[in-house]
Amino acid sequence: MIGPIHSIEGVLYTPEQEARRYLETGAWMDSTVGDMLRQTARRVPNKAALITDAGSISFQQLNDQSDCLAAALLDLGLRPADRAIFQVGNNIETALTVIACFKAGIVPVCAIPQYREVEIGQLARLSQARGYFVQSDSPGSFDMVPFAQQILADHPHIEHLVFSGSRAPEHSNTIAALIQMHNVASARQRLADIKLSPADVLSFQLSGGTTGVPKIIPRFHGEYLAHATFCARHYEMDENSVFLWALPLMHNAGQLYALMPTLTLGRSTVLMPNVDIARMLTLVETYRVTHTASIGPIAPQIMAYSDLHKHDLSSLKLFYTMTRADMLEKKINVPCSNLFGITEGLLLGSPPSASTAIRHGTNGSSGCPFDEIKVLVPESETQVSDGEMGELCFRGPSSVRAYYMAPEANATAYTSDGYCRTGDIVTAHVIDGRTYYRFEGRFRDNVNRGGEKIGCEEVEAYVSKHSSVLDAKLIAMPDPVYGEKGCVFVILQPGATAPTVTELSCFLVEQGLAKFKCPERIEVVDAFPITRVGKVDKPAMKKHISALLENETVEGS
């Protein structure tokens, strides 16, 4: 079937004629994720699919156990096209659960563990989720169990709470127990009636944005499989590659770089529960890792790691990172390249065989031959002149056609000819007859803290609720580890004293804001600088804080 079998109201699907063309040309895979795993499990049944410190799982085991879990989730009452929020860690249970949902047609809402009441509550309402998967033994001091139970109480449309991990409450549903409810034969009999199409929604991914809770981006079985595989091939990966991933698996990057290519290529992937540089480099040695990536603070931490000389990194063919590939390559003596990725459906990068001019001087090109890219004058449809900076806009077989239930965002997200506006500023560079793109900055108002985009308007609204604050403006300040952190400029109430960073953070977390969104510096001002047309001049604030940081570095040296 070309079109979706289980349509979701509010999702804009690809027209049938265009979907047919994508399938016929190979721009989409004519498969579902479940069928792709079944095919790979038949080809390499005993090969390790996922490797963790807690154990590994073969492709056959991954296929069998996810079948059993998928059947149990259906028995529980979840149905194809139902949405389920995921707040889970990096482990084999997470992989089994998300694949089981893919097989059953249940649509994961791919949240991250750091989200709290504000984000999860709004995602629950918008997605109308009926399921909620939660890590019961999450690291750190925050207890996810009572948090999840309160979310369930506040959102009665969430009918099924399922825990992963070892500290689930008594008599609750757990992944481990659900897997045991079926044997492989009964599970496959239960799943036999579940028919899915490559055009069915696979997952609800989240876009970073400027207005608070991320927008929901529907991704689809056939396009997502192809999107990930084009990227993996672009990085010169194959069945013999070994990949290492230390960031959230349920993030779009985790799905595209780590999970999907594992299922399509039949390669092995090493999963880490969190970022630990010494352990990461030890795993590279132990499993002869060939490819790994840094979306956020990993690369700077490696460059600051003093025991690098103790590790054998000779198996690594490529380390790709958001920025500073040149400095990382010099440090680790491994080919490194800059990347660019956006959940809306574009991945740029360059392979280890590319020249240093490409790998270090640009963020690469798309590995998908069907992607179309323009660089436009911001807020226009005029293409910039050669070499000039402009907004990166694209369309292709994986580009989002519309955000889910977000008419206001959709009204400004596209050009008249269907190109998705990224809000990111790039320059185009032609090298050896091919065009590559270099990221220059962002047009929209957010902070990119280690790969997680923080909407400035949302944080400003919450900071302004503090009793001492009259008004607030959040800007991005440079940071050597995370790339950017949030600095909030505040105008105080008359006679008030500014809160400390710790006090403000506690206040914001109590309000339900995720901790990673809390500003990490406060600057008190009498008034915000303004432009000649009377708008708040955030570039002036950024320039001011950058100068302050430079002076503090000089004074401290």
Side-chain angles (χ1 to χ4, degrees), residues 407-418:
E408 291 184 5
N410 290 328
T412 59
Y414 301 93
T415 63
S416 61
D417 50 356

Side-chain angles (χ1 to χ4, degrees), residues 158 444 510 532:
I158 301 178
R444 293 174 182 159
E510 286 173 0
R532 285 180 293 179

Side-chain angles (χ1 to χ4, degrees), residues 235 257 293-303 319-330 332 336-341 348 358-364 437-442 448-451 479-484:
Y235 284 128
Y257 292 138
S294 166
I295 313 295
I298 294 177
Q301 289 184 30
I302 290 177
M303 287 188 281
F319 195 123
Y320 47 105
T321 177
M322 290 178 69
T323 58
R324 304 169 76 185
D326 53 346
M327 297 177 67
L328 183 63
E329 183 166 322
K330 184 177 180 180
I332 66 177
C336 298
S337 63
N338 292 320
L339 65 86
F340 172 91
L348 303 179
I358 294 169
R359 288 189 287 105
H360 299 168
T362 78
N363 294 78
Y437 301 89
R438 184 173 70 204
F439 176 75
E440 305 287 356
R442 284 182 311 285
N448 189 350
R449 186 186 189 277
D479 182 80
V481 174
Y482 288 91
E484 292 178 351

Side-chain angles (χ1 to χ4, degrees), residues 465-487:
K465 293 179 180 180
H466 192 282
S467 60
S468 295
V469 176
L470 180 64
D471 200 0
K473 297 296 176 186
L474 185 74
I475 58 96
M477 63 179 177
D479 182 80
V481 174
Y482 288 91
E484 292 178 351
K485 286 184 177 180
C487 173

